[in-house]
Structure formats: structure tokens, C-alpha cells
Amino acid sequence: MKKRVLSGIRATGKLHLGNYLGAVKGMLELQDSPEYETLYMVADVHTITTPYNVDELRKYRKEVVIDYLSCGLDPEKSILFLQADVNEHLELAFLFSSVATIARMQHLPTYKDKVKQYPKDNTMALLNYPVLMAADILIYKADLVPVGIDQEPHLEVAREIARKMNEKYKTDFPEPKRFETKGQYVPSLKGEGKMSKSVEGSYVNLTDSQDEVLKKIRSMPTSSKAGGEMSPDVKSLFDLAKLFLSNISDFEKKFKDGSLQFSQMKDELAAKISEELKPLQEKRKEIEKDQAHVDKVIKEGTEKARAIASETVLEVKQKMGLG
Ligand code: ADP
Ligand code: TRP
């Protein structure tokens, strides 16, 4: 039997370069591997764990599927679906919550960050975020998860839950591992932290025009002058540029000898990013014209996902004494 791959992206906005390089590129690579059966979802239920707008969620859960298709995820090769359409994820998450302690969940850096960001919305759903993510992965008994490095603490929780369930109830969950990509950590355009949908001004969207990309890259802060130590913002620029420019060592040399013109480097970087985005944007235009096709892809993907997911839930309920 083929090993399985599962990944997802929350429906909090349009995809950006961080999502593309950290997650989608890995999804694409694995979809073409004959060793794996690949399942890719939109993590729309995870979206409700922090404050959100109902109309936006409704819009973005489909937009992310359109982004997936534009990037080259192929319904002939991968099962594409929306998490909320496969109820079994929620069912398994509740069953899993019986082996996950509150103390462990409260300790996660991702949880602490969100509580800091939304102190009034420290909800049960937020605390349960990693448990639901473990259910997303383990419901398909997936071995491999293409996600950025920021998701590693969540994968650790999924492995712990798999071990506990296997020990206590004799299930056969694998311990899922992260599938790494070169772009596992794409820096923010603001000079510190990672590129993220939740930080305004930190990202380049996959749908950004050439002008928008140029404007955003030109506005990246560069506080140190060429020649000295690299300031964190200059380092961010170089880290981003490394993912796109093959002549990055020339720019590094120029930085060292003091002759680097940031504007020239930024313009080259922006041009390279736009070049990479162009085919995705063209494909997006075609896909947007045929919404019925997108709906069909989602419907068919959901049916396939449910067939697998319902078997796992049945098995777990039986082993836990609930069936
Ligand atoms: P965001 O942080 O923008 O809300 P998500 O949390 O929805 O993005 O992440 C979706 C996927 O994209 C995850 O696999 C995550 O690891 C990856 N990802 C998000 N931001 C980055 C980044 N800056 N660099 C690399 N991967 C990222
Ligand atoms: N937590 C992931 C993120 O923020 C999204 C996600 C939810 C996910 N369920 C998943 C990723 C299962 C991989 C596998 O990016």
C-alpha cells in the first residue's frame, strides 16, 4: 500500500510566497511521487480558532482551492477537499482530546503567541488547535506532512497523540514527519519574523502584479550600509533573495566590499519573483472562469477523503469501547 501525505493551509486569506515555498512546493513534489497518495485540504475549521469574519471565511475557503489549482495541485493526482466537509476530522479530534493534556497544549509556542495576539479570545477551540491538526493527519494515517518549519511543534503533538493512542488502544497510527522544502522559513518583508498572512505588510501574495511586487520589495527596510555587519533586516532581504537569485554570492561579495546597491538587488529580486509568479497567475485566470469545475473538484475530493476518514473513526471508536 502507498504511504500517505496530508497537508493543509488555513482559509485566512490569499496565499503568499511563504505558503508557496514552505508548503505548496512540498505538496507539489510529493504529488508527483509514485510512492505516495497525497491529500491536500483547506484547513477552514482551524480558521475559526481565532477571531474571523464569516463572509471572508466563506470566500477564502474556495479561494485557497483556486490557489492550490493555480500552483499546480492536480485533482487527477491529489485528493483536494475542505476540512469542514469531512465531519470525521472533528469527531476524531474529540476522541484524541481524551489523550491530550491541557498543560501540554498551553505550553506550545504557537498557542502562547495567539493568546498574546488575541488576549480576549483564549478559547477552547484555540487550545484544541493542535489536537484537530493531529486528527487531520492521523485520520488518513499519513506519514509525511509538507509544511513550513513553524509547524514543527504541532507535528510533535501529532506524534505524541499517535504514540499514546497506539499504546492505550492498540491502534496503528504512524508518527508523521515534516517534509522539508528549501523555503521552509520565508522571512517577512518587514525585516523581522516570518512572512505571514496575519502580519500586514509582511507578504507578497501569489496574485500580486509586477508593480505591486516591485513596490513591496523596494520598501523592504535595509538599515545597515553595505560593508559592515548585516543588520537583521538586511539579513532578511538576503534570506529572501537566496530563494530566488542564483547570483546571490555576487551580491554577498558586493555587500562585504561595500559596493552593493540595495536598489539594484531589490529590483532583480522583484523581477525574479514576478517571473516565477506569472505562470501561476495566468493559470488562475483560467480557473476563475470555471467555478463549476472548482466545485466539482471539491465534491469529488470530499467523497474520496470521507471514505478513508470514516474507516479510521469507526476503528478508533471500536477500539475505545464506543462501538
Ligand atoms: P500564515 O502564517 O500566513 O497564516 P498558515 O499558518 O496558514 O500561514 O500556513 C500555511 C502553511 O504555509 C504552513 O505549512 C506554514 O508552515 C507555511 N508557511 C506560512 N508562512 C511561512 C513562511 N513565512 N515560510 C515558510 N512557510 C510558511
Ligand atoms: N496549522 C497549519 C498552519 O497554520 C494548518 C493545518 C491544519 C495543517 N491542519 C493541518 C497543516 C494538517 C498540515 C496538516 O499552517
Side-chain angles (χ1 to χ4, degrees):
M1 223 178 67
K2 280 188 182 185
K3 287 187 171 185
R4 292 211 184 102
V5 173
L6 180 286
S7 191
I9 295 182
R10 285 180 306 149
T12 43
K14 284 191 192 160
L15 298 199
H16 56 69
L17 280 181
N19 302 137
Y20 179 61
L21 300 171
V24 179
K25 280 248 172 149
M27 297 185 197
L28 286 165
E29 200 178 322
L30 291 167
Q31 124 176 312
D32 288 324
S33 160
E35 278 172 62
Y36 296 101
E37 180 178 12
T38 46
L39 295 109
Y40 301 130
M41 60 169 205
V42 179
D44 49 1
V45 180
H46 275 103
T47 309
I48 71 164
T49 61
T50 44
Y52 72 101
N53 175 293
V54 171
D55 292 328
E56 275 187 7
L57 173 57
R58 202 169 277 131
K59 176 174 117 191
Y60 283 128
R61 61 205 292 261
K62 197 165 159 190
E63 282 287 313
V64 175
V65 176
I66 297 175
D67 273 327
Y68 278 170
L69 295 169
S70 316
C71 290
L73 290 189
D74 179 353
E76 300 287 321
K77 297 180 186 164
S78 295
I79 299 176
L80 305 178
F81 66 101
L82 307 177
Q83 183 188 27
D85 291 346
V86 184
N87 302 335
E88 286 84 352
H89 288 228
L90 294 165
E91 218 177 327
L92 189 63
F94 194 86
L95 300 174
F96 279 178
S97 71
S98 68
V99 297
T101 66
I102 295 169
R104 174 71 175 96
M105 298 303 118
Q106 280 176 328
H107 234 81
L108 286 168
T110 39
Y111 171 74
K112 288 183 187 161
D113 287 348
K114 291 291 176 206
V115 172
K116 230 185 253 166
Q117 201 179 343
Y118 308 106
K120 291 196 186 124
D121 298 280
N122 184 2
T123 62
M124 292 297 293
L126 183 62
L127 192 63
N128 245 321
Y129 187 113
V131 179
L132 177 58
M133 181 159 159
D136 298 335
I137 299 165
L138 297 175
I139 206 161
Y140 304 104
K141 303 196 176 170
D143 288 279
L144 214 49
V145 184
V147 281
I149 201 162
D150 60 310
Q151 296 299 310
E152 194 57 72
H154 291 151
L155 285 182
E156 187 55 46
V157 170
R159 289 190 284 269
E160 285 168 22
I161 289 180
R163 278 199 292 275
K164 278 197 191 161
M165 290 297 297
N166 293 347
E167 260 168 42
K168 244 181 147 163
Y169 302 112
K170 308 282 171 268
T171 47
D172 62 348
F173 290 116
E175 292 189 24
K177 278 176 222 55
R178 192 167 67 87
F179 180 71
E180 284 184 31
T181 59
K182 217 173 96 198
Q184 62 177 354
Y185 182 90
V186 178
S188 160
L189 302 181
K190 295 179 90 171
E192 58 171 350
K194 71 156 198 153
M195 186 174 285
S196 171
K197 275 178 254 162
S198 51
V199 182
E200 207 39 61
S202 76
Y203 50 81
V204 171
N205 280 127
L206 301 186
T207 49
D208 282 348
S209 68
Q210 215 172 331
D211 284 349
E212 281 167 324
V213 174
L214 190 62
K215 205 171 133 208
K216 285 181 177 179
I217 299 298
R218 278 186 179 165
S219 69
M220 284 183 77
T222 43
S223 60
S224 55
K225 286 212 173 64
E229 272 287 297
M230 267 192 201
S231 56
D233 51 11
V234 170
K235 197 169 170 305
S236 282
L237 174 65
F238 271 88
D239 285 346
L240 183 66
K242 269 180 205 148
L243 297 167
F244 290 93
L245 300 177
S246 50
N247 58 343
I248 188 71
S249 54
D250 295 344
F251 287 113
E252 276 166 344
K253 260 187 233 138
K254 282 186 181 166
F255 180 85
K256 275 200 194 112
D257 70 24
S259 67
L260 178 70
Q261 302 240 322
F262 283 116
S263 58
Q264 187 209 342
M265 177 176 169
K266 285 175 171 175
D267 287 3
E268 265 189 50
L269 172 59
K272 233 1 212 250
I273 292 174
S274 290
E275 192 185 309
E276 177 132 2
L277 295 183
K278 198 167 168 230
L280 315 190
Q281 295 176 350
E282 280 166 6
K283 197 156 178 201
R284 194 175 220 283
K285 272 192 213 135
E286 292 307 308
I287 296 162
E288 277 171 346
K289 280 188 215 153
D290 194 355
Q291 297 285 330
H293 171 69
V294 180
D295 293 336
K296 186 164 162 263
V297 164
I298 295 172
K299 188 163 172 279
E300 288 175 0
T302 304
E303 275 161 23
K304 288 184 199 155
R306 284 196 87 160
I308 307 170
S310 57
E311 265 184 40
T312 306
V313 171
L314 202 66
E315 179 200 337
V316 173
K317 281 178 80 175
Q318 270 167 357
K319 290 189 169 158
M320 289 181 81
L322 294 165

